[in-house]
Amino acid sequence: MCKMCKGKNNALVEKSGSSLNIDVTKIVKYVCIAGVMIVAIIFGTRCYLKMINKDKELD
């Protein structure tokens, strides 16, 4: 980042009185974990339903 851009950003933070820190790595980590959990739930329920249907066919 250039020196002029840094000066403008710091001036905006000083005027507002608060800083905003965004941790992108945490956001990406939790989005990935949520995606894995969603896929696991869908796959698990499909496997469970197939097992139930096979048990019914055997009876």
Side-chain angles (χ1 to χ4, degrees):
M1 193 179 280
C2 65
K3 289 183 180 181
M4 288 189 342
C5 296
K6 285 184 180 179
K8 288 181 181 179
N9 288 339
N10 288 338
L12 290 174
V13 169
E14 289 174 5
K15 285 181 185 177
S16 66
S18 65
S19 63
L20 177 65
N21 295 326
I22 299 174
D23 192 2
V24 177
T25 56
K26 283 187 178 180
I27 294 170
V28 170
K29 179 177 84 171
Y30 290 123
V31 167
C32 290
I33 291 172
V36 168
M37 293 299 289
I38 290 169
V39 170
I41 290 170
I42 291 170
F43 182 73
T45 53
R46 285 187 182 176
C47 288
Y48 180 74
L49 290 174
K50 284 182 183 179
M51 286 176 20
I52 295 297
N53 288 335
K54 285 191 178 192
D55 286 343
K56 286 182 182 178
E57 289 175 2
L58 294 175
D59 289 340

